[in-house]
Amino acid sequence: NAGVTQTPKFQVLKTGQSMTLQCAQDMNHNSMYWYRQDPGMGLRLIYYSASEGTTDKGEVPNGYNVSRLNKREFSLRLESAAPSQTSVYFCASTHGTGYEQYFGPGTRLTVT
Amino acid sequence: AQKITQTQPGMFVQEKEAVTLDCTYDTSDPSYGLFWYKQPSSGEMIFLIYQGSYDQQNATEGRYSLNFQKARKSANLVISASQLGDSAMYFCAMRKRADKLIFGTGTRLQVFP
């Protein structure tokens, strides 16, 4: 039981490049989330998926797109990376209301 | 607007002592949940404790307890018998609709011998 896994762990991009962050969970959770964490700040929600086939915007969705590929997988895409997207990205999932969110180990992204 | 406030950027505590980390929240929803997460220097987010808005009793999990004062809109984390391994960032978070979380800015706890 791996929990929530994320790939890659680290990535360096040049401004304007694109990339996809992958996330998978093996806990049969319906809801999945993408957060970013900037220095000195808490996590902020980028996008979430309440169930397979649905996605919705969070607090800071600009510059990102997501895909809920199936119940297990939820990917985050940066179409044209900008230095302001330098951050640590966390994927999370939960069984539902009243349950904790389980977090992946994070992806540290640097955009130069 | 829904908001989480952690006013202590840093706290120091001696090993084996108790420490309280403050968290206040703002919401108009009658149904909400409050979480505490620990983030060690390695970076992962570790769930510690949860309190539902309708729970009558304060939540406890081992050395962690949540001092929930609904009228004051506070949800302070109490760590008893601090250990060196408790040194980390601690985040308070509130559950919104669709189980989305909003986080405070965190408190860095340092435990010294």
Side-chain angles (χ1 to χ4, degrees):
Chain A
N1 188 340
V4 180
T5 58
Q6 291 182 237
T7 56
K9 285 189 167 48
F10 301 93
Q11 184 71 48
V12 179
L13 292 178
K14 294 187 187 310
T15 298
Q17 288 185 318
S18 63
M19 78 161 295
T20 299
L21 281 64
Q22 306 285 355
C23 173
Q25 51 89 12
D26 62 1
M27 295 173 283
N28 202 35
H29 288 166
N30 286 320
S31 301
M32 297 185 73
Y33 308 82
W34 276 105
Y35 296 90
R36 61 178 286 174
Q37 183 179 26
D38 300 313
M41 300 184 73
L43 281 67
R44 292 183 293 167
L45 183 65
I46 304 171
Y47 269 93
Y48 68 99
S49 170
S51 62
E52 187 179 352
T54 69
T55 61
D56 211 342
K57 296 178 181 178
E59 294 175 68
V60 288
N62 291 345
Y64 305 95
N65 283 301
V66 290
S67 294
R68 184 74 183 266
L69 304 170
N70 48 55
K71 192 170 187 179
R72 289 187 65 247
E73 298 171 287
F74 188 37
S75 62
L76 178 72
R77 183 159 177 83
L78 287 70
E79 291 290 351
S80 178
S84 61
Q85 294 178 305
T86 293
S87 190
V88 180
Y89 291 84
F90 288 96
C91 177
S93 70
T94 184
H95 185 69
T97 301
Y99 295 88
E100 69 267 33
Q101 288 191 11
Y102 291 84
F103 284 81
T107 295
R108 187 173 295 274
L109 175 67
T110 302
V111 183
T112 61
Chain B
Q2 295 173 316
K3 190 178 178 182
I4 290 280
T5 303
Q6 294 180 256
T7 57
Q8 306 156 314
M11 291 283 285
F12 288 88
V13 66
Q14 190 164 31
E15 201 176 7
K16 299 180 187 176
E17 296 293 311
V19 63
T20 298
L21 306 184
D22 295 341
C23 173
T24 58
Y25 60 92
D26 188 19
T27 181
S28 56
D29 289 339
S31 176
Y32 53 90
L34 297 154
F35 297 80
W36 278 92
Y37 282 86
K38 172 184 178 181
Q39 187 177 44
S41 57
S42 50
E44 70 267 33
M45 296 291 288
I46 301 168
F47 165 74
L48 296 178
I49 197 165
Y50 168 77
Q51 180 87 39
S53 59
Y54 294 120
D55 293 343
Q56 295 296 315
Q57 299 208 340
N58 287 343
T60 60
E61 291 284 350
R63 293 186 299 111
Y64 305 108
S65 60
L66 200 152
N67 184 359
F68 181 47
Q69 298 189 41
K70 200 168 181 177
R72 291 187 172 185
K73 294 190 174 180
S74 74
N76 299 338
L77 177 70
V78 181
I79 306 175
S80 62
S82 297
Q83 301 172 355
L84 295 177
D86 294 335
S87 294
M89 283 290 288
Y90 288 81
F91 291 98
C92 181
M94 179 168 63
R95 172 179 53 79
K96 297 167 58 177
R97 286 178 298 109
D99 297 313
K100 296 176 286 186
L101 294 181
I102 55 170
F103 285 82
T105 52
T107 296
R108 181 172 298 281
L109 177 66
Q110 295 188 60
V111 182
F112 60 94

